[in-house]
Amino acid sequence: MEIAPALAAGCTMVVKPAPETPLTALKLAELCHEAGVPEGVVNVLPGLDEAGKALVRHPGVPKIAFTGETATGRHILQAAAPHIKRVTLELGGKSPNVIFADADLEQAAKSALFGVFYNSGQVCQAGSRILVERTVYEPFVERLAERAKKLKVGPGTNARSDLGPVISQEQYEKVLRYIEIGKQEGARLAAGGRALDGLGAAISSNRLCLPMYRHQCASPVKKFSARWRRSFRLTMRKKRSASPTGRCTVWRPRCGRTTLSGRSVSPSG
């Protein structure tokens, strides 16, 4: 997402992909070259974390744009401070779906399913949280859980697979740990959640403090929460902290689906 604005502004750039996913960035640079972008404008630097740290600290790099975990964003700010670099951070995405009782529940469930299981949830704007009005909470959970149970788990290279693997064994174990913590803290596993099921899972809970509800996990796990009443109001504010945020999708009958970007969403009242 950072490349297009930089090109439009006439800037050159060095792209540092995550250590686990260098091939897509290299392919993008190849396509840029084929499209006529001059050599040296879009550069890709694969490598481990040390390569990224070197870029952030280098005095010849005046601007840093980063998408990823909140903890890494803090380190980047600290490393960029001595040179007073300009820094843009997109951190800790936990995009919510807000479901009102009078919404089209079938259409909302279909969209919410795709929103988190696409690419096994390994997308910064994956719709991994759902805030559901109290009167339709259980029916909606059941709808989405039934759809999740029908997903076909298989290799990511198989066009017939609905749900592929996560990127690494480390991430796989991290997702399982989050699921277990959620269960220990009172969440109900509505579907999947075991290794045999390919980690596709739906977590139902009425507690907003669950770690999986607040932390970006990059996983095919959907978190249900907040059985709010219509008399409650949903507070949407510009993100100024590490609160879960991202792209908020609101489902109402008249407007269908409305998307709000860059907002932190929480029930209040």
Side-chain angles (χ1 to χ4, degrees):
M1 292 186 291
E2 289 85 357
I3 292 178
L7 285 176
C11 300
T12 59
M13 70 206 72
V14 178
V15 180
K16 165 60 179 72
E20 300 86 357
T21 59
L23 298 182
T24 50
L26 290 168
K27 183 62 177 179
L28 179 59
E30 179 183 322
L31 293 174
C32 287
H33 179 69
E34 292 179 5
V37 176
E39 291 187 6
V41 173
V42 178
N43 308 277
V44 178
L45 179 64
L48 300 178
D49 294 342
E50 289 303 320
K53 292 177 182 178
L55 278 174
V56 172
R57 294 168 179 165
H58 197 287
V61 180
K63 163 73 177 179
I64 305 294
F66 172 76
T67 300
E69 293 185 353
T70 303
T72 305
R74 291 194 183 100
H75 291 309
I76 288 175
L77 283 174
Q78 293 169 356
H83 296 287
I84 316 179
K85 297 185 178 186
R86 289 170 292 168
V87 179
T88 301
L89 303 175
E90 285 286 337
L91 309 175
K94 295 295 291 184
S95 299
N97 284 266
V98 180
I99 314 296
F100 285 78
D102 48 7
D104 184 336
L105 298 186
E106 284 296 330
Q107 185 60 36
K110 180 180 179 181
S111 177
L113 185 83
F114 178 80
V116 71
F117 292 131
Y118 168 70
N119 200 36
S120 297
Q122 300 168 121
V123 182
C124 62
Q125 289 190 336
S128 54
R129 290 190 296 155
I130 298 186
L131 307 176
V132 188
E133 192 170 347
R134 180 183 296 272
T135 56
V136 295
Y137 181 88
E138 291 298 340
F140 188 83
V141 171
E142 292 175 4
R143 277 181 169 84
L144 194 57
E146 286 303 314
R147 287 179 176 271
K149 292 175 183 177
K150 296 177 182 178
L151 294 175
K152 184 176 180 180
V153 180
T157 53
N158 188 337
R160 296 183 178 180
S161 298
D162 297 314
L163 190 63
V166 291
I167 189 65
S168 65
Q169 181 70 23
E170 180 182 4
Q171 179 66 12
Y172 167 84
E173 294 173 353
K174 176 182 178 180
V175 174
L176 285 179
R177 286 197 302 272
Y178 268 118
I179 292 176
E180 286 304 314
I181 292 173
K183 290 162 64 176
Q184 293 170 12
E185 296 193 359
R188 171 170 59 92
L189 194 61
R194 297 181 299 275
L196 185 62
D197 295 328
L199 280 183
I203 296 285
S204 172
S205 172
N206 197 37
R207 298 181 58 192
L208 300 181
C209 58
L210 289 176
M212 289 198 73
Y213 183 85
R214 296 195 58 82
H215 299 159
Q216 184 178 26
C217 190
S219 66
V221 181
K222 177 74 79 174
K223 278 73 70 178
F224 292 89
S225 195
R227 307 182 191 193
W228 49 277
R229 299 183 180 91
R230 182 61 66 89
S231 59
F232 277 31
R233 58 188 173 87
L234 291 176
T235 300
M236 300 186 186
R237 60 187 183 277
K238 291 183 178 179
K239 186 182 180 188
R240 297 187 178 89
S241 66
S243 300
T245 187
R247 182 183 59 188
C248 174
T249 303
V250 180
W251 288 89
R252 293 298 308 274
R254 292 184 180 178
C255 61
R257 181 177 63 182
T258 301
T259 299
L260 303 173
S261 298
R263 300 280 177 168
S264 177
V265 181
S266 60
S268 61

